[in-house]
Amino acid sequence: MKLSISVAANVALAVALVGMVAYSSGSAKLGNGIRAASARGITATPKVSIRGTFQQAAMNPATAKRFQTLVEAGTVINQIAKIDGRLNIEEIARETSCVMGVKDACNVEWYGANRPKYLGPFQSYTPSYLTGEFPGDYGWDSAGLSADPITFKGYRETEVIHARWAMLGALGCLFPELLNKAGFNLPVWFKAGGTIFDQGIDYLGNPNLVHAQSAFAVLTTQVVLMGASEAYRFNGGPLGSSSDPLYPGGAFDPLGFAKDPSKLAELKVKEIKNGRLAMFSMLGYYVQAIATGKGPVENWLDHLADPTHVNGFAYATQFTPGQ
């Protein structure tokens, strides 16, 4: 990682120098810079020699193409510097490394050896196989579940997929209760599925939209649609394919979040952090439903109305053996 960024930094520095010299607004500034460097005891090549070297590089068939490429890159870096209002070689090198595939360079705050750990400054040991390459890696694997690379890959994909479902599910559990506050008459989330065996499921409480009466038909539709989506994610389809099934992009990214590699690296971290929180939220919904027989919104409103008596401790003895 450090070697890759160092190489990229050297290349970016050389390109920036070529760009600044080739596109300098006047020879006086260049001459003053060389004289100032010489005054500090730094050996500098005379201005004429630099120009002569550039001319030879541009005219020599063996180096002309390389020289032109450097000049074009220098132009791009000058444009970046104008946009940013400053020339930050380190930042340009980091973004270049990120685009070239060095994942640790995409977001140094959450990736690599210096990323935050789950015990913060008190953590003295991190498993060698947890390198910070993937989003959400805080160096915790006390059971050694990810020691095998193949198993690690499978667990990682399973976690991300479950996290996405949990985020949708957590919102879906809240949505019916929130709509009921606006005048709808929808069943609480853990009773919604059972209504198909009674009077059928009405989408948004309106039988004219969707009135599902067959559990087999609903299950079949879900299997077909989800199977097609998963097959598309892995194998591609009419709208293209992706080299990374976990983050396919393309048709699965209509808003273009994946266009900026650095931004994508940050969004991956946000996704897994929110997804882990959603998975814990769903576990809380399950426990609440069993203990209180109510949905999360109603439980929350009851707690706000009487926080002293309506809380987890009030239900702590409900499942004690003998009670």
Side-chain angles (χ1 to χ4, degrees):
M1 165 59 196
K2 292 182 178 179
L3 178 61
S4 299
I5 289 185
S6 175
V7 171
N10 291 335
V11 172
L13 180 60
V15 171
L17 177 61
V18 172
M20 287 186 292
V21 171
Y23 292 92
S24 176
S25 58
S27 60
K29 293 182 180 180
L30 179 59
N32 291 336
I34 295 175
R35 285 193 293 273
S38 301
R40 294 195 300 270
I42 300 175
T43 303
T45 305
K47 175 175 61 176
V48 177
S49 297
I50 293 177
R51 287 183 173 178
T53 301
F54 284 169
Q55 290 175 355
Q56 292 177 5
M59 297 176 63
N60 189 338
T63 58
K65 187 174 181 180
R66 179 182 179 86
F67 175 80
Q68 184 60 33
T69 301
L70 287 173
V71 172
E72 293 174 356
T75 304
V76 172
I77 287 188
N78 277 330
Q79 293 174 349
I80 294 175
K82 290 179 180 179
I83 294 173
D84 294 343
R86 59 192 177 93
L87 180 61
N88 189 331
I89 295 298
E90 181 180 356
E91 181 66 16
I92 293 175
R94 186 190 66 77
E95 292 183 356
T96 302
S97 300
C98 174
V99 173
M100 295 301 293
V102 182
K103 294 183 179 180
D104 288 352
C106 293
N107 194 308
V108 295
E109 182 180 1
W110 301 107
Y111 294 84
N114 296 324
R115 69 194 185 283
K117 307 299 193 304
Y118 75 101
L119 290 180
F122 302 103
Q123 184 169 341
S124 58
Y125 168 76
T126 301
S128 59
Y129 50 84
L130 297 180
T131 61
E133 177 185 1
F134 300 110
D137 177 3
Y138 292 92
W140 178 55
D141 186 22
S142 55
L145 299 176
S146 302
D148 178 63
I150 298 179
T151 304
F152 184 20
K153 180 179 181 298
Y155 283 155
R156 174 174 166 265
E157 181 170 343
T158 300
E159 181 187 34
V160 173
I161 296 299
H162 278 75
R164 291 169 180 170
W165 278 114
M167 287 187 283
L168 288 173
L171 179 61
C173 291
L174 299 174
F175 200 60
E177 290 189 83
L178 295 175
L179 287 179
N180 287 342
K181 300 299 180 182
F184 287 82
N185 184 25
L186 303 175
V188 69
W189 71 271
F190 53 87
K191 294 182 179 180
T195 59
I196 197 171
F197 301 106
D198 186 13
Q199 298 177 348
I201 298 178
D202 297 330
Y203 185 71
L204 293 179
N206 187 346
N208 296 322
L209 294 177
V210 174
H211 182 64
Q213 295 178 296
S214 172
F216 178 77
V218 172
L219 179 61
T220 302
T221 302
Q222 289 181 337
V223 170
V224 171
L225 292 179
M226 288 307 305
S229 298
E230 287 296 282
Y232 197 161
R233 182 170 68 88
F234 272 95
N235 304 317
L239 298 180
S241 60
S242 172
S243 58
D244 187 357
L246 197 55
Y247 302 99
F252 290 88
D253 183 27
L255 299 180
F257 290 124
K259 290 183 178 180
D260 183 351
S262 182
K263 187 65 175 179
L264 176 62
E266 181 181 354
L267 290 175
K268 288 179 180 179
V269 175
K270 292 181 177 180
E271 178 189 42
I272 194 62
K273 290 173 68 176
N274 283 277
R276 288 168 178 169
L277 180 60
M279 286 188 282
F280 272 102
S281 298
M282 287 304 305
L283 177 61
Y285 291 173
Y286 297 149
V287 174
Q288 283 182 320
I290 294 173
T292 69
K294 300 178 180 179
V297 174
E298 189 174 358
N299 277 317
W300 173 60
L301 294 175
D302 290 344
H303 173 71
L304 291 180
D306 187 7
T308 304
H309 298 94
V310 183
N311 51 54
F313 295 105
Y315 299 92
T317 60
Q318 284 196 7
F319 300 96
T320 302
Q323 297 293 324

